Amino acid sequence: MAKIRELVPELAEVARTELNENPANRDALIVAFRTWINEQNYLEARTDDQFLVAFLRVCLWDLELAKKRIVFFYNYKSKERGLLKSRLVDDKLLELARSGIFATLPNPIGPGGPRIHYTRMGHIETSKHSVTDIFRFHAFRSEIELNTDDNWNISGVVEIMDFTKIPYSLLLQFDPSMFRRMNAFLEHGIPTNLVATHIVNASRETQFVLTVIRNVMKQKELLHIHPNVESLAKAIGKEYLPVELGGNNGALNDAVSRYEAQLNSFASYFSEDERYGVDEKLREASEREKEQRQTSLVSGVTGVPAVSGEEGAFRKLNID
């Protein structure tokens, strides 16, 4: 029996109908996933049931897709040290947690619905916080949610971003190339899906930058810009907004305090995380060896030597 959290009925129904989850083969797929990971000499990954099930769920229980996603997840963390920096819970991360910028609201949009993140962009101090600092915070929070939040994993996440008094100097840090690098991890690495991003209280200058961001997004329809809080409340339901905006979904300061405690509780987890990742040289060697075996198999079946340099059906997977 897999050691995973029991889902509330509404969330279990979403997992069954939208993610193809089937208790009859769930445990066997988790075991097969773990076995495959342990067989890869280039991959050092966590293999507890709850961690693995998060990747299987977001990949609709397609084992091959889950393999590719977990390799991307760890390969990204190994290669993008410039963005993710240290994996330790340090003073910079704790300062961001206490800043009041980010809040995870306690109630999802219904028992089987997505988690809600609320971000107060005006609380960002550019003298202290860079765009890469904010991305690193998101990466840490995502990995905590990977391990603790079934709504986030199964039904996805709704981002609400309040642009009141956003510092203009932060907008000047925007770089489309860097955004693509960051977005790759959020889109192809972490095991969740972005349901929607709702922007409220954005100035005309900010809306221009948001238009640029929308142009590099694959799913442009996920970005919604609201002229006021009333429009936002109508879109997601007033009861799901924090009390500061007239809703019933907890106080933002309480959410900030909860997350700081949660981040501290994961300090040892992230300290251990330094040992996990992908050895790119070993991965490339493994891929070459696999291609050679496949080429030999084709030659043996057809009796015709493979053409030098021909990739055909055995083209090397590029996950970078």
Side-chain angles (χ1 to χ4, degrees):
M1 176 71 74
K3 296 180 180 179
I4 59 176
R5 288 182 296 273
E6 184 177 356
L7 303 177
V8 298
E10 296 88 345
L11 200 55
E13 181 65 8
V14 174
R16 184 186 69 82
T17 59
E18 298 183 20
L19 305 186
N20 302 326
E21 186 157 330
N22 183 357
N25 65 359
R26 181 179 59 200
D27 290 6
L29 283 169
I30 293 172
V31 170
F33 195 15
R34 180 184 298 109
T35 300
W36 178 85
I37 290 171
N38 290 334
E39 290 173 349
Q40 310 312 304
N41 66 339
Y42 61 84
L43 175 62
E44 192 72 29
R46 297 181 185 274
T47 57
D48 59 277
D49 292 347
Q50 193 67 63
F51 188 87
L52 296 184
V53 80
F55 285 88
L56 287 164
R57 281 172 170 160
V58 81
C59 293
L60 308 184
W61 290 89
D62 183 318
L63 183 57
E64 295 307 310
L65 289 179
K67 292 175 184 178
K68 293 175 184 177
R69 196 172 189 105
I70 203 168
V71 169
F72 186 97
F73 178 83
Y74 279 113
N75 196 32
Y76 189 99
K77 293 205 292 184
S78 295
K79 294 179 70 174
E80 289 286 6
R81 288 286 183 171
L83 292 177
L84 293 174
K85 303 175 185 177
S86 167
R87 296 296 292 157
L88 300 178
V89 177
D90 53 21
D91 290 342
K92 171 70 76 172
L93 208 58
L94 287 169
E95 194 277 328
L96 270 170
R98 297 173 186 135
S99 67
I101 301 169
F102 307 102
T104 300
L105 303 187
N107 300 319
I109 302 178
R115 180 60 58 196
I116 307 171
H117 290 163
Y118 192 90
T119 303
R120 291 180 282 189
M121 302 295 288
H123 281 54
I124 296 173
E125 298 181 53
T126 53
S127 61
K128 297 180 180 179
H129 315 132
S130 68
V131 170
T132 53
D133 290 333
I134 293 168
F135 171 71
R136 179 171 177 252
F137 180 94
H138 276 289
F140 272 72
R141 179 170 65 175
S142 295
E143 194 149 354
I144 290 174
E145 289 171 317
L146 186 167
N147 286 278
T148 62
D149 193 339
D150 295 318
N151 287 79
W152 177 90
N153 175 225
I154 292 170
S155 294
V157 60
V158 169
E159 299 281 353
I160 301 174
M161 305 180 76
D162 186 345
F163 275 53
T164 301
K165 296 182 179 179
I166 182 173
Y168 186 67
S169 54
L170 181 69
L171 301 180
L172 296 177
Q173 295 184 33
F174 176 74
D175 178 344
S177 176
M178 182 182 292
F179 177 81
R180 289 189 186 94
R181 287 168 60 198
M182 294 175 178
N183 192 58
F185 186 60
L186 302 178
E187 186 174 348
H188 303 295
I190 62 171
T192 191
N193 287 302
L194 177 64
V195 176
T197 297
H198 294 273
I199 309 293
V200 66
N201 299 325
S203 67
R204 283 183 295 178
E205 294 83 0
T206 303
Q207 289 184 36
F208 173 78
V209 175
L210 292 171
T211 300
V212 176
I213 293 175
R214 179 184 275 162
N215 288 337
V216 300
M217 291 175 66
K218 287 185 178 180
Q219 295 174 292
K220 297 175 177 59
E221 71 279 5
L222 300 183
L223 183 59
H224 307 273
I225 302 174
H226 300 277
N228 49 51
V229 173
E230 289 73 22
S231 172
L232 172 65
K234 185 176 180 180
I236 72 166
K238 184 177 180 179
E239 67 271 27
Y240 298 118
L241 296 179
V243 295
E244 290 85 348
L245 272 69
N248 302 314
N249 206 355
L252 293 174
N253 286 342
D254 291 343
V256 168
S257 297
R258 272 196 310 274
Y259 181 74
E260 182 186 352
Q262 194 175 41
L263 183 59
N264 278 313
S265 73
F266 268 77
S268 60
Y269 172 98
F270 286 115
S271 179
E272 290 175 9
D273 207 50
E274 292 284 351
R275 64 183 284 256
Y276 298 111
V278 168
D279 186 315
E280 186 62 14
K281 290 183 178 179
L282 287 178
R283 187 185 73 81
E284 291 177 354
S286 176
E287 291 293 335
R288 285 195 300 270
E289 182 181 347
K290 180 180 178 181
E291 288 179 359
Q292 290 169 359
R293 287 199 305 268
Q294 297 283 14
T295 301
S296 297
L297 178 62
V298 171
S299 299
V301 171
T302 64
V304 179
V307 178
S308 177
E310 182 177 79
E311 292 181 356
F314 309 110
R315 182 178 296 127
K316 176 181 170 184
L317 173 66
N318 180 10
I319 64 168
D320 299 337

